């Protein structure tokens, strides 16, 4: 039996924001929250998968909208699972932050698409960057406080711990050493990160994301390209999937560039950028940068996704049906579901003959290279491809090309 290592869970398809980059602009599906029997069936079903280590709460909704979300974290934590989540952080009050930390949250990724109120608000109308920053600082503070107590180190004075600190007080506590133990500052057990969707309109703000990362103690920054769900968003993409993007060992008409380790500075930036923009067939330190083409970051590492209604899909991008725009044409993706909880057990779904057969096709990745093709009727949907592969086909999956990234 194939190993299952990570589970993506969509607690809800509802959200408190309406971002211009959101998939909701291209679907007409109903919204809903995961019912508790569905979630219990998932957690109980993982007993058949002792190698499963991580549960990531993401999908296409805001997890904090779910009324029992802290309980979801707690149940997964009690079963020994590492718990991760992605959020816009607008609903992250101090009280909710405390509940998440007490429940056992291990990793928090916050979506930030600009380093100014104007830029972030243009992508996420109604969101406040200052409020988001303050909310994530509160989350880190609660995590640090719990870690301090676990290590048996005297906590901050009662007046500081019991009152909700202001933004400036948070920054002081996060960045300055603890007064009573200047030589030791226990790190918070919570790992914090930032997810940034890069577009033509906000890419100039990307370098300043480092300043926000320092304020919220983020240890990683994930940058993804945008997937246009509307025709208007096509003008925002920063990638061009041309014929030379198809992986190969090199030919007279498409030579392989083999590059050494080299500093990125004012002397090298312009020529290297020109090479990379004109010729994506590159090898860096003898590592072919195209090797992550035709690599599914979901199926190949051993993961699956569960929608709010209990449908089990092979990856988050196939949780819902939607339309998007690839290389100028409109493409329809149909949701792929191999079973539904709690009507069927997780193991029964995982072992259905058609599901392992699909996973094997993905590992081989012998799909037609739709992103390198001029297009045909088959390329307008993910139903089948010209190589004869059945639904779902993945030849133009931008996650498999490394263009799109998830936390």
């Amino acid at each position: 039996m194939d190993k299952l290592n990570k589970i993506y869970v969509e607690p809800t398809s509802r959200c408190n924001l309406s971002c211009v980059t959101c998939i909701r602009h291209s679907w007409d599906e109903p919204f809903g929250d995961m019912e508790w029997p569905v979630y219990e069936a998932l957690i109980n079903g993982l007993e058949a998968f002792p190698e499963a280590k991580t549960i990531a709460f993401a999908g296409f909704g805001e997890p904090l909208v779910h009324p029992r979300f802290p309980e979801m974290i707690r149940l997964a934590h009690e079963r020994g699972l590492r718990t991760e989540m992605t959020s816009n952080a607008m609903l992250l009050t101090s009280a909710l932050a405390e509940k998440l930390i007490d429940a056992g949250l291990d990793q928090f990724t916050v979506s930030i698409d600009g380093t100014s109120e104007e830029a972030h608000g243009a992508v996420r109308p109604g969101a406040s960057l200052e409020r988001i920053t303050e909310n994530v600082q509160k989350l880190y503070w609660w995590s640090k406080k719990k870690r301090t107590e676990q290590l048996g180190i005297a906590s901050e004075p009662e007046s500081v711990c019991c009152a909700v600190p202001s933004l400036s007080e948070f920054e002081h506590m996060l960045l300055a050493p603890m007064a009573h133990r200047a030589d030791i500052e226990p790190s918070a057990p919570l790992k914090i990160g930032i997810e940034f969707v890069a577009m033509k309109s906000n890419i100039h703000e990307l370098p300043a994301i480092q300043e926000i990362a320092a304020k919220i103690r983020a240890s990683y920054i994930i940058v993804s390209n945008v997937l246009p769900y509307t025709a208007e968003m096509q003008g925002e993409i920063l990638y061009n999937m041309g014929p030379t993007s198809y992986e190969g060992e090199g030919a007279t008409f498409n030579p392989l560039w083999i590059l050494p380790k080299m500093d990125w500075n004012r002397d090298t930036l312009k020529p290297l950028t020109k090479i990379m923009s004109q010729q994506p067939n590159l090898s860096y330190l003898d590592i072919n940068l195209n090797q992550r083409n035709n690599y599914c970051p979901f199926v190949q590492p051993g993961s699956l996704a569960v929608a709010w209604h209990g449908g089990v899909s092979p990856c988050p991008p196939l949780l819902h049906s939607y339309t998007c725009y690839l290389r100028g044409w409109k493409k329809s993706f149909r949701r792929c579901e191999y079973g539904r909880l709690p009507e069927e057990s997780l193991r029964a779904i995982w072992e259905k003959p058609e599901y392992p057969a699909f996973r094997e096709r993905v590992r081989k990745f012998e799909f037609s290279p739709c992103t390198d093709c001029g297009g045909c009727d088959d390329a307008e949907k993910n139903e089948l491809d010209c190589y004869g592969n059945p639904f779902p086909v993945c030849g133009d999956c931008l996650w498999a090309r490394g263009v799109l990234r998830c936390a």
Side-chain angles (χ1 to χ4, degrees), residues 87-266:
S87 170
N88 61 50
M90 282 294 291
L91 301 177
L92 190 62
T93 63
S94 182
L96 183 53
E98 183 181 10
K99 289 181 180 179
L100 293 176
I101 296 303
D102 287 342
L105 180 64
D106 292 302
Q107 179 172 302
F108 184 90
T109 304
V110 57
S111 298
I112 297 178
D113 297 323
T115 55
S116 64
E117 290 289 357
E118 294 75 19
H120 187 69
V123 180
R124 299 175 175 271
S128 165
L129 187 57
E130 180 180 3
R131 180 176 166 186
I132 290 169
T133 301
E134 182 176 358
N135 288 350
V136 180
Q137 285 180 324
K138 292 175 184 177
L139 184 68
Y140 179 88
W141 183 74
W142 280 115
S143 181
K144 180 178 174 181
K145 180 177 182 293
K146 183 174 182 179
R147 177 65 168 168
T148 300
E149 293 171 349
Q150 289 174 339
L151 293 178
I153 301 173
S155 60
E156 286 83 357
E158 186 74 13
S159 59
V160 176
C161 290
C162 296
V164 177
S166 65
L167 179 57
S168 60
E169 290 173 330
F170 268 119
E171 292 179 346
H172 173 73
M173 288 186 291
L174 293 176
L175 300 179
M178 290 185 295
H180 57 281
R181 291 292 299 276
D183 57 329
I184 299 176
E185 182 183 7
S187 60
L190 180 69
K191 188 174 184 179
I192 294 176
I194 295 174
E195 186 173 52
F196 185 98
V197 178
M199 298 176 284
K200 287 183 179 179
S201 60
N202 71 353
I203 188 64
H204 65 282
E205 299 212 348
L206 183 57
I209 204 76
Q210 182 72 28
E211 299 174 14
I212 297 177
K215 288 184 177 181
I216 64 175
R217 289 295 182 90
S219 60
Y220 61 92
I221 300 169
I222 298 174
V223 181
S224 176
N225 281 291
V226 66
L227 178 60
Y229 293 111
T230 63
E232 294 75 19
M233 290 299 295
Q234 292 183 91
E236 289 281 6
I237 65 173
L238 296 169
Y239 51 90
N240 178 32
M241 303 301 293
T244 56
S245 65
Y246 189 68
E247 66 176 299
E249 296 183 358
T252 55
F253 60 87
N254 184 21
L256 172 65
W257 285 69
I258 303 173
L259 301 176
K261 187 175 183 180
M262 189 179 298
D263 291 340
W264 286 78
N265 54 38
R266 66 178 64 185

Side-chain angles (χ1 to χ4, degrees), residues 240-249 254 279-282 287-297 300 362-367 369 371-372 394-404:
N240 178 32
M241 303 301 293
T244 56
S245 65
Y246 189 68
E247 66 176 299
E249 296 183 358
N254 184 21
Q279 178 53 267
N281 197 9
L282 303 171
I287 299 174
N288 190 340
L289 298 187
N290 280 321
Q291 69 179 352
R292 288 302 291 261
N293 280 346
N294 303 342
Y295 174 87
C296 177
Q300 288 183 238
V362 171
R363 283 191 286 266
K364 293 180 179 178
F365 220 93
E366 296 175 346
F367 300 102
T371 51
D372 303 300
C394 309
D396 55 2
C397 175
L398 298 189
W399 280 271
R401 284 301 182 95
V403 175
L404 303 178

